[in-house]
Amino acid sequence: MGAAMIRRGPQSIKAMVFMAPTTIIVLMLLVMVVSYQALHQQQRAFLDVVNGPLAYATSTSTRLLIGTSEVQAEVLRYVQLSQRLDPDDEVQRDLRASILLRLDQIEVVFGALRADLERSAEADVVRNIDDFLSIYSAVASRLIAAPEVDSIAVSTVMAHYQQLQSYITELAERSLASAQRSAAATEAQVAQSVYWLVLGSLAIIGAAVLVTLSVGRAITRPITRMIGILSSIAEGRPVAAVPGRERTDEIGAMARAVAVFDRVTRDLRDREGSLVEARRAAEAANATKSAFLANVSHELRTPLTSILGFTRMIRRRLQRSILPKLARTDLEATALGAEIEDYIGIILSEGDRLTTLINNLLDLEKIEAGAMEWEMADTDPADLLARARDATATLHEAAGLRFEIHVTPDVPRVRADRDRIVQVLINLISNAVKFTPAGEIRCEASCFGDDFVEFAVTDTGTGIAPEEQDRIFDKFRQVGDTLTDKPRGTGLGLAISREIVEQHGGQIHVESTPGVGSRFTFTLPRAVARQGDLTEEDKACLARS
């Protein structure tokens, strides 16, 4: 049946998947409605028993028995006390008031009972109780109102009390029997309802199982075949044809998709060999690039060093010998000499820039290739900052910037390559000088958690736009508009700084606000390897952390 339904149209599986749970839900809702009705009916029957005969047999009858017993006890006490107390005594007055109050309460309770049982099977007993209760109340009231106690009245009260108690007991017994009959009828009704509910639930479960098996078989069989075909394709085994492509339902769409997947997989396998060869070629090209950079950089350094050396020598000769002579002979020649000196300065500046670029390229290539040799040692953060300050002194002094160093007294030593960390600080300070037209640069070192020391370089410069802050550590990335502004650097300084810091096990970050300034921070691991190696500064830093 399921396979036939699948072939009817493209919506058959969707209809079956929708109709199966819908049918089950409808059946369950039907059972829930029937169950609710049965339970509601049982609740009504139970309340009828509890609030009807059972209540009369227990609560109301008990209250009547207790009430009459209390009245009788107080009447007898009144009779006993009347032999030695005056009727106007306070105790006697209180007893008379209590007896009258209890008689009124008994009348209220019995009035509610009489209204509920006027048309019940216990109506005759209720009438007898009503008669004897009226007589008992009248005799008891007359007894306590008389100036002297009459023995005949006492006997009459006692007789009516006993008869009243017997009628109340009879009412309780008959009400209890009625309650038991109602409970038995309710129990039979509940048992019958439970029987039909169990049968209905079993029928729904059976229907749900049949519907589930039918739908599951209609869907899983073709899907299982498709899984087998996909497994063959994944293992590289050839697939002659994908069955079911002519169908117009979801299985047909799946079969056509599997056929496309088979074709694409074969194409990908054909290209896999080409990709492997391309990767090998790329690895070879990368090795060639590394060798080329190393060789070319070495070959460039030698003539560049000679060019810069001879250029500096020419400038010294020009400044010491040629320009003084030209100044004494010819003004036009003097101006030409000054112009030549400016050109020589440009040559030296661009040569230094080219040297920095070559060094940066070599450093970056060594770090990425894992060929950089690190000279790790325990180093004082204050010494690192001092070395970076001395190396960049001419830069920030020429720019007229105030330079400050602040090292917290408890900062511990770090485990690092001193020259490489100084290189990182020089890069950060140089960038701060480039982009700070006025203000100050502040270098700091402080504890960072239990295991690291944080270095910070803060400036009051132009700042960095938010969209640039995540990209400034990329290679050859320069801040600003490189089409209109003259590049100020190689774009490798921050990339090398990040590689050096990460190789030390730390991290580097930037926080910047355009027009306010920037703050570059990086962390280095503490030099403490064992608890016994802790210095006083280390202990103070741990306590502060």
Side-chain angles (χ1 to χ4, degrees):
M1 178 190 70
M5 290 183 66
I6 289 180
R7 294 187 179 87
R8 290 178 186 174
Q11 301 298 323
S12 57
I13 291 180
K14 292 182 180 179
M16 290 184 64
V17 172
F18 174 76
M19 289 301 296
T22 302
T23 304
I24 296 173
I25 291 172
V26 170
L27 293 175
M28 291 300 297
L29 288 175
L30 181 61
V31 171
M32 290 174 62
V33 171
V34 174
S35 301
Y36 173 78
Q37 294 295 335
L39 292 175
H40 187 62
Q41 184 178 2
Q42 295 163 14
Q43 182 184 19
R44 288 200 305 269
F46 174 77
L47 292 177
D48 290 341
V49 174
V50 172
N51 297 328
L54 188 59
Y56 305 143
T58 55
S59 177
T60 307
S61 300
T62 302
R63 291 172 62 188
L64 284 175
L65 287 172
I66 294 174
T68 54
S69 298
E70 291 175 346
V71 170
Q72 182 66 16
E74 290 186 353
V75 168
L76 293 177
R77 184 184 179 197
Y78 179 84
V79 171
Q80 292 174 355
L81 292 176
S82 63
Q83 296 176 1
R84 52 189 180 85
L85 296 178
D86 189 81
D88 294 330
D89 187 81
E90 183 179 0
V91 175
Q92 294 294 79
R93 290 200 304 270
D94 291 341
L95 280 175
R96 285 195 296 271
S98 176
I99 291 169
L100 294 175
L101 178 61
R102 291 184 184 278
L103 288 173
D104 292 338
Q105 293 175 349
I106 291 173
E107 182 61 30
V108 172
V109 173
F110 182 71
L113 178 65
R114 180 172 50 205
D116 290 336
L117 298 180
E118 284 182 352
R119 295 182 177 86
S120 66
E122 293 80 14
D124 55 338
V125 181
V126 173
R127 285 192 294 270
N128 294 332
I129 294 174
D130 189 13
D131 295 338
F132 277 88
L133 182 60
S134 300
I135 297 172
Y136 177 79
S137 299
V139 174
S141 300
R142 189 167 57 252
L143 176 64
I144 62 176
E148 293 183 0
V149 176
D150 186 1
S151 59
I152 297 175
V154 173
S155 300
T156 303
V157 167
M158 291 293 294
H160 283 80
Y161 168 71
Q162 293 176 356
Q163 190 63 36
L164 182 61
Q165 289 280 45
S166 65
Y167 281 129
I168 293 174
T169 303
E170 181 183 357
L171 175 63
E173 292 174 352
R174 291 174 63 176
S175 298
L176 183 59
S178 177
Q180 290 174 347
R181 289 193 299 272
S182 299
T186 302
E187 183 179 359
Q189 185 180 5
V190 169
Q192 185 179 10
S193 300
V194 170
Y195 173 76
W196 288 110
L197 285 176
V198 170
L199 287 182
S201 301
L202 292 176
I204 290 176
I205 293 173
V209 170
L210 292 177
V211 172
T212 303
L213 290 176
S214 176
V215 174
R217 182 175 178 181
I219 295 175
T220 56
R221 288 181 64 186
I223 291 178
T224 303
R225 288 197 298 268
M226 293 300 168
I227 292 175
I229 295 172
L230 288 173
S231 299
S232 299
I233 295 173
E235 294 173 1
R237 298 196 301 269
V239 177
V242 180
R245 287 180 294 176
E246 71 284 353
R247 296 169 59 148
T248 59
D249 56 7
E250 294 87 350
I251 300 299
M254 183 186 299
R256 289 187 289 273
V258 171
V260 173
F261 176 70
D262 180 36
R263 185 173 63 254
V264 172
T265 303
R266 284 199 296 263
D267 293 341
L268 289 176
R269 283 201 178 92
D270 294 339
R271 297 177 184 177
E272 186 176 0
S274 301
L275 290 176
V276 171
E277 293 299 327
R279 185 180 64 182
R280 292 174 180 171
E283 292 174 351
N286 187 48
T288 304
K289 179 202 72 172
S290 301
F292 173 77
L293 283 176
N295 294 331
V296 171
S297 299
H298 176 73
E299 294 300 328
L300 287 175
R301 276 179 172 176
T302 302
L304 185 59
T305 302
S306 300
I307 292 172
L308 293 177
F310 282 112
T311 303
R312 292 189 180 94
M313 184 178 65
I314 292 173
R315 184 171 63 176
R316 287 195 299 270
R317 292 286 298 273
L318 183 65
Q319 292 173 344
R320 294 176 183 177
S321 302
I322 299 176
L323 288 180
K325 294 180 181 179
L326 292 177
R328 292 193 299 268
T329 58
D330 190 353
L331 293 178
E332 183 176 355
T334 302
L336 178 60
E339 185 177 358
I340 292 173
E341 185 179 11
D342 292 339
Y343 292 155
I344 292 174
I346 294 173
I347 293 173
L348 290 174
S349 176
E350 294 302 319
D352 290 336
R353 183 168 175 268
L354 182 58
T355 301
T356 302
L357 175 60
I358 293 173
N359 291 333
N360 287 340
L361 284 172
L362 283 177
D363 289 342
L364 188 61
E365 179 62 30
K366 287 182 180 179
I367 293 174
E368 291 181 348
M372 178 69 75
E373 296 181 358
W374 305 96
E375 298 180 1
M376 308 298 289
D378 294 352
T379 307
D380 184 10
D383 179 63
L384 296 174
L385 294 178
R387 289 176 180 273
R389 177 197 58 197
D390 296 340
T392 58
T394 55
L395 296 177
H396 51 76
E397 290 175 0
L401 301 175
R402 186 169 62 257
F403 192 94
E404 294 183 359
I405 291 179
H406 177 73
V407 180
T408 56
D410 53 0
V411 68
R413 298 167 72 85
V414 295
R415 186 70 177 175
D417 186 323
R418 184 189 65 187
D419 294 337
R420 294 302 175 184
I421 299 303
V422 171
Q423 180 183 354
V424 172
L425 290 169
I426 291 174
N427 286 338
L428 297 179
I429 296 172
S430 300
N431 286 339
V433 172
K434 293 176 186 176
F435 297 100
T436 305
E440 67 174 4
I441 297 174
R442 182 180 177 87
C443 296
E444 301 170 274
S446 59
C447 293
F448 186 81
D450 296 336
D451 302 317
F452 290 89
V453 173
E454 182 181 71
F455 293 81
V457 177
T458 308
D459 63 63
T460 58
T462 57
I464 304 170
E467 62 271 12
E468 293 284 347
Q469 293 180 19
D470 294 334
R471 296 179 289 182
I472 59 173
F473 294 102
D474 297 340
K475 290 181 287 187
F476 302 104
R477 185 71 187 182
Q478 296 176 330
V479 177
D481 186 359
T482 56
L483 297 177
T484 58
D485 297 340
K486 181 180 178 181
R488 291 183 281 182
T490 63
L492 291 175
L494 290 179
I496 293 175
S497 299
R498 180 178 65 180
E499 294 290 342
I500 292 175
V501 170
E502 291 180 353
Q503 289 291 330
H504 281 73
Q507 293 182 338
I508 187 168
H509 302 282
V510 62
E511 299 175 1
S512 181
T513 302
V516 177
S518 302
R519 176 181 173 85
F520 285 83
T521 60
F522 66 91
T523 56
L524 292 178
R526 297 160 55 97
V528 178
R530 299 178 303 276
Q531 188 66 22
D533 297 334
L534 289 173
T535 63
E536 294 300 326
E537 292 81 0
D538 296 332
K539 295 176 181 178
C541 187
L542 281 173
R544 182 168 176 265
S545 300

